[in-house]
Structure formats: structure tokens, C-alpha cells
Amino acid sequence: MRILIVEDDLDIQRLLSAALAAAGYAVDAAGDGEDGYHLGATENYDAIILDLGLPQIDGLSILERWRKEGVAAPVLILTARDSWTEKVKGLRAGADDYVAKPFQMEEVIARIEALIRRAKGVASSVVTIGPLTLDTAQGMVFRDGNPVAMTPLEYRLTAYMMMRRGAVISKTEITEHIYDQNFDCDSNVVEVLINRLRKKLGADAIETRRGQGYVLAL
């Protein structure tokens, strides 16, 4: 899963980026409204954390522009403005959730997990498909009840495919949702990652659809 953080306080931005990366997400960050708007409008994110008090373009204006342009990623507003009127403005502009500063990092991560689940049509933090179980709260995958050791990339792709159960996922979609913008993606990196997952999840766990992509076949 891929997250965008738009936050001009670099200390908060670094803390959020490190915590979300440790939780298994690919993270991009912007320090002003102009860069944040551009990334959100041109890249595919599973969720966005957006500060309101940004230089160049304020967060509320960015959010309104994104929604008018069809950007559907769930947005968590993160701001020092804690009045109920500010919350109402943000929610009516298209925000999905709201956390006031100062905040607890664990709460922000839990809210992001919940936003992504709901956006994918998944109600619970535990998703089971055949012998596989995804626990987003723990950041773990189990097969037949046994934990599967995974790298962050392997976990990210498994979680994405389980959230998109039954859907054929193209290579382009995979690269857009599990790698951050700084990753140098070689032409065969997706195939290598898929093959590694088949060894861990079962040779028949992921089916290749020629010319289309991959589908979780359990």
C-alpha cells in the first residue's frame, strides 16, 4: 500500500514517514501545497495524510481540487486546527477522517489502516481467503494458521492483492501501489516478486493472466 504525506513541518513529516514505512507502507512526502497537490493529482495512492496549514496552497483548497478532479483516495486531515467548524469544513470538502495535533502515532496508523480497508470494501482488520489470513493490525500474513516470514515488499503486495480479492491486477497497478516514487523499478522486478510470493504462499496462490496481470487464485 502506498501513502502520501503532505506536511510542511519536517520533523512531523519524518516521524510519520518512518512510522508508516515501519508499518509496511510505501511512503511519499511533500513539504508544501504545490508539490502535495501535484503528487496527489498525478500518482495513485491508497491513502493521503494532509495538513491544512500549508505554504503555497492550503490543505482545504488542495482537497477541494482533488475531489473535483476525481481523486478518490481516502484523506486523513492532520492539523493543529481542532475546532469543530474546521472539522466540518474538512469533511464537507471531501476528507474521510480527522486527527488533531498533537497526536499519537499509533492512532494515526490505525486510522490509515481503517480508511484503506473501507476504501477496499473490507470491514475487518483480519482478512481470510482460503488458507491465507492477513492481519493488518499486526502487519502479518498467515498460511494455515502459521506466520509467513515476508520482506516489506512481499507483505505490501500480498496485502494489496488480498484487499483486491478476485481482481486481476496489472503490473502497472502493482508498481503504482507498492513502490514509492524514488524506487527504480526494473522491467522484471514484478515477476521476481511474484515468484518469491509463490514460493511462500504456494505455487498456485497467484495466477498469471496473460496480457492482463495477476490474480489471487485461492
Side-chain angles (χ1 to χ4, degrees), residues 1-49:
M1 306 290 181
R2 188 178 175 196
I3 307 292
L4 171 63
I5 300 168
V6 188
E7 168 62 65
D8 64 322
D9 185 317
L10 294 182
D11 289 334
I12 292 176
Q13 184 192 114
R14 282 192 288 265
L15 286 170
L16 283 168
S17 296
L20 286 162
Y25 295 98
V27 182
D28 294 336
D32 62 64
E34 191 68 43
D35 288 344
Y37 163 74
H38 177 73
L39 283 172
T42 58
E43 300 289 334
N44 287 313
Y45 293 101
D46 295 289
I48 298 172
I49 296 175

Side-chain angles (χ1 to χ4, degrees), residues 9 20 32 51 67 83 95 117-118 126 140 148 151 157 177 186 217:
D9 185 317
L20 286 162
D32 62 64
D51 185 28
R67 293 315 191 211
S83 72
R117 289 199 311 269
R118 288 200 293 269
V126 177
M140 295 183 67
V148 181
T151 66
L157 179 53
H177 285 270
D186 296 330

Side-chain angles (χ1 to χ4, degrees), residues 69-152:
E69 294 167 10
V71 175
V75 173
L76 172 68
I77 287 180
L78 186 68
T79 182
R81 305 175 189 176
D82 195 25
S83 72
W84 69 268
T85 54
E86 292 295 336
K87 293 180 181 179
V88 168
K89 287 179 184 178
L91 293 169
R92 285 181 172 167
D96 299 272
D97 203 353
Y98 203 112
V99 172
K101 300 175 185 175
F103 56 85
Q104 294 295 322
M105 192 67 71
E106 192 171 340
E107 180 186 0
V108 173
I109 292 173
R111 287 179 180 272
I112 285 293
E113 289 172 359
L115 288 179
I116 292 173
R117 289 199 311 269
R118 288 200 293 269
K120 299 287 190 291
V122 178
S124 172
S125 62
V126 177
V127 180
T128 299
I129 303 176
L132 294 186
T133 297
L134 167 70
D135 188 329
T136 60
Q138 294 188 67
M140 295 183 67
V141 175
F142 300 84
R143 182 177 175 88
D144 296 321
N146 300 309
V148 181
M150 290 188 166
T151 66

